[in-house]
């Protein structure tokens, strides 16, 4: 078994863009037990492409190509595959309809060039592209299987997972599967998490359980090598359940899920609204919430109240209170959360006073000291945390801390 990856595009051979698709694809294929022996990068040139594909079909059992499926004249992969196979191009009606729909949804004019993307080598299998117009091509030339996908990385990733991987598995290529499950935690140290899982994270455990920390988020990765997907899931299922049981509410999500995704989901479940009063995070809590599609129903708005002046004028924090407690304190955290909740009429208010440094720390409130305030109908709470790290780290971690505090409160109140 030998695979070849072909990256097509003059922007790659000219050095304008780096070919990152090959790296990504090689990793995915390696996980499936498929060794990659060749990486070939070729310009948008017909003769060069024909050379490359003829050689690849001869020397590899699997060719995974990306690029050259766009609508422009330099997109040659369809023609190259048809010529390499010695077949004609034929119109694929469902793809044409998909492309027409994409254009009408985006209210853009479709040109004749876009029709080209609905033509495929006769006998080829069309792989739908949910994220773009260019469908992919799956075909066999001689004994060589070929998957041709768009060059745009996000489209390629999705198409590989949804279309190519299942076809490779069905074709019996590779030596089994490698399935990963990622479980995301927040609110405890890496070693504290591992201490609860020592029997799972030990070397040689099946399935493999790894732990990594990135910007205060702890991720547990369960990696199962198995003959097929079902066998891998059987390995992963009980281990995942054990981890979730032992870690409880430290676990906030899975795979690419972020704290804000979970917060917005909880808000939506109860139809609750939130407002932010940020200081040390300077808008990062709002920015994270704003990343989640549909959040506008639940996030009314927020204030960046950096100075005492802003805290008093925008949030109604009293001057005496600031003088008595200092801006970075639990009472001010609470007053900010209450203030923004009242002003924006939301169910929840969240605040983030703190000291990001490098200057401005005192013995009582050193750099890295932050507070999160929460206010809701009938209650308020504050918590403090003392981060080590750079200004940037303190800010981004405090934004997560605030979202996590909100998540835990929403779960309690739900
Ligand atoms: P194409 O599918 O050939 O129209 O490629 C569209 C865009 O995807 C190119 O302009 C690049 O920005 C990107 N792209 C294409 N091939 C690759 C690759 N091998 N690695 C990373 N990005 C790529
Ligand atoms: Mg191209």
């Amino acid at each position: 078994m030998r695979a070849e990856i072909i990256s097509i595009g003059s922007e790659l051979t000219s050095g304008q863009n780096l070919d990152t698709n090959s790296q990504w694809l090689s990793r995915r294929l390696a996980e499936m037990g498929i060794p990659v022996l060749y990486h070939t990068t070729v310009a948008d040139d017909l003769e060069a492409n024909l050379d490359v594909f003829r050689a690849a079909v001869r020397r590899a059992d699997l060719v995974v190509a990306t690029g050259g499926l766009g609508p422009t004249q330099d997109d040659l992969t369809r023609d190259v595959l048809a010529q390499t196979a010695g077949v004609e191009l034929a119109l694929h009606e469902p793809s044409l309809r998909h492309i027409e729909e994409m254009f009408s949804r985006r209210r853009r004019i479709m040109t004749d060039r876009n029709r080209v993307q609905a033509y495929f080598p006769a006998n080829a299998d069309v792989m739908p592209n949910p994220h773009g117009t260019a469908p992919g091509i799956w075909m066999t030339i001689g004994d060589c299987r070929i998957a041709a996908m768009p060059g745009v990385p996000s489209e390629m990733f999705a198409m590989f997972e949804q279309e190519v991987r299942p076809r490779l598995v069905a074709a019996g290529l590779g030596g089994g599967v490698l399935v990963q499950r990622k479980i995301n935690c927040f609110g405890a140290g890496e070693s504290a998490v591992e201490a609860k899982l020592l029997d799972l994270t030990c070397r040689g455990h099946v399935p493999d359980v790894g732990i990594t920390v990135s910007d205060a988020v702890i991720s547990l990765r369960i990696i199962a090598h198995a003959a097929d997907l079902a066998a891998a899931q059987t390995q992963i299922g009980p281990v995942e359940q054990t981890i979730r049981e032992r870690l409880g509410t430290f676990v906030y999500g899975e795979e690419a899920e972020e704290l804000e995704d979970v917060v917005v989901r909880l808000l939506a479940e109860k139809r609750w609204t939130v407002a932010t009063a940020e200081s040390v995070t300077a808008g990062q809590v709002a920015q994270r919430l704003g990343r989640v599609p549909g959040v506008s129903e639940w996030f009314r708005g927020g204030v960046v109240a950096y100075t005492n002046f802003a805290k008093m004028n925008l949030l109604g924090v009293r001057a005496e209170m600031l003088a008595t407690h200092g801006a970075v304190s639990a009472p001010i955290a609470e007053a900010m959360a209450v203030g923004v909740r009242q002003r924006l009429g939301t169910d929840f208010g969240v605040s983030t006073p703190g000291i990001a440094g490098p200057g401005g720390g005192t013995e009582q409130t050193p750099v890295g000291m932050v507070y999160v305030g929460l206010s809701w109908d009938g209650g308020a709470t504050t918590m403090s945390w003392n981060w080590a790290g750079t200004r940037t780290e303190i800010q981004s971690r405090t934004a997560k801390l605030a979202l996590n505090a909100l998540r835990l409160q929403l779960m309690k109140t739900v």
Side-chain angles (χ1 to χ4, degrees):
M1 176 73 208
R2 37 179 69 199
E4 173 157 354
I5 293 172
I6 302 178
S7 300
I8 303 154
S10 296
E11 77 279 12
L12 305 172
T13 50
S14 70
Q16 187 188 320
N17 286 5
L18 182 66
D19 164 23
T20 51
N21 287 353
S22 296
Q23 181 188 36
W24 190 89
L25 281 167
S26 282
R27 290 183 179 175
R28 298 294 86 74
L29 293 173
E31 289 165 3
M32 300 179 73
I34 298 175
V36 174
L37 274 81
Y38 305 93
H39 277 187
T40 306
T41 308
V42 61
D44 295 309
D45 174 277
L46 185 64
E47 284 309 315
N49 268 267
L50 286 169
D51 269 352
V52 161
F53 272 88
R54 282 181 191 133
V57 164
R58 217 169 33 240
R59 67 193 177 192
D61 310 296
L62 170 67
V63 171
V64 181
T66 66
L69 289 175
T72 59
Q73 302 215 28
D74 63 7
D75 289 304
L76 299 164
T77 305
R78 280 172 292 270
D79 301 281
V80 169
L81 286 173
Q83 288 190 40
T84 307
V87 299
E88 295 296 313
L89 285 171
L91 178 67
H92 184 248
E93 289 285 352
S95 296
L96 183 61
R97 280 197 298 278
H98 172 72
I99 294 167
E100 284 167 350
E101 277 163 25
M102 291 282 290
F103 273 89
S104 74
R105 243 203 330 271
R106 295 177 187 177
R107 298 181 199 288
R108 292 219 309 258
I109 306 292
M110 184 173 155
T111 67
D112 272 352
R113 293 295 320 168
N114 293 102
R115 285 177 66 88
V116 171
Q117 290 181 294
Y119 280 83
F120 296 90
N123 304 327
D125 193 1
V126 176
M127 297 191 287
N129 184 347
H131 299 297
T133 53
I137 302 172
W138 173 267
M139 65 189 294
T140 304
I141 300 179
D143 331 309
C144 181
R145 289 188 169 79
I146 301 174
M149 293 182 283
V152 180
S154 59
E155 295 180 25
M156 187 277 280
F157 299 163
M159 190 178 289
F160 182 85
E161 294 301 342
Q162 288 167 27
E163 301 293 332
V164 177
R165 188 193 289 277
R167 284 174 169 83
L168 295 175
V169 172
L173 298 179
V177 294
L178 184 147
V179 178
Q180 301 199 20
R181 182 89 176 125
K182 189 165 161 257
I183 301 172
N184 304 320
C185 316
F186 189 93
E190 191 182 12
S191 43
V193 168
E194 186 167 39
K196 294 180 196 270
L197 306 173
L198 287 173
D199 54 327
L200 304 177
T201 56
C202 62
R203 214 175 272 272
H205 186 271
V206 178
D208 193 52
V209 180
I211 180 166
T212 52
V213 63
S214 169
D215 205 31
V217 167
I218 294 171
S219 304
L220 294 158
R221 206 179 275 278
I222 312 172
I223 305 171
H225 288 271
D228 56 35
L229 198 63
Q233 305 290 16
T234 308
Q235 279 187 27
I236 291 173
V239 174
E240 176 172 357
Q241 203 186 331
T242 304
I243 290 173
R244 285 178 181 277
E245 277 165 18
R246 291 196 199 160
L247 298 183
T249 56
F250 283 131
V251 175
Y252 73 80
E254 55 205 46
E255 306 307 329
E257 237 174 352
E258 305 264 8
L259 284 159
E260 56 269 24
D261 296 312
V262 181
V263 164
V264 173
R265 196 172 64 225
L266 290 169
L267 288 170
E269 270 171 25
K270 278 289 181 177
R271 311 190 62 77
W272 276 332
T273 53
V274 69
T276 54
E278 299 188 61
S279 182
V280 70
T281 49
Q284 289 195 30
V285 178
Q287 197 246 339
R288 283 186 165 271
L289 288 169
R291 285 181 192 164
V292 185
V295 72
S296 52
E297 275 202 72
W298 322 111
F299 176 41
R300 286 232 170 120
V303 164
V304 176
Y306 231 57
T307 56
N308 284 355
F309 183 81
K311 291 181 180 78
M312 292 187 286
N313 283 286
L314 298 176
L315 299 170
V317 178
R318 285 183 297 113
E320 315 85 78
M321 221 176 159
L322 284 160
T324 311
H325 302 286
V328 181
S329 63
I332 297 303
E334 182 174 328
M336 289 170 70
V338 169
V340 81
R341 186 171 79 83
Q342 286 173 348
R343 273 160 183 71
L344 291 180
T346 54
D347 299 299
F348 284 82
V350 56
S351 70
T352 59
I355 305 217
T362 62
E363 206 170 313
Q364 218 192 339
T365 37
V367 169
M369 186 79 187
V370 301
Y371 291 84
V372 170
L374 287 177
S375 160
W376 64 94
D377 187 17
T381 181
T382 63
M383 62 165 304
S384 68
W385 200 274
N386 203 336
W387 297 112
T390 64
R391 179 176 177 81
T392 314
E393 287 166 345
I394 290 166
Q395 291 179 312
S396 81
R397 289 169 193 185
T398 305
K400 293 180 188 178
L401 189 70
L403 288 166
N404 193 53
L406 184 57
R407 173 183 75 94
L408 294 172
Q409 191 57 46
L410 288 167
M411 284 167 66
K412 271 190 220 156
T413 328
V414 161

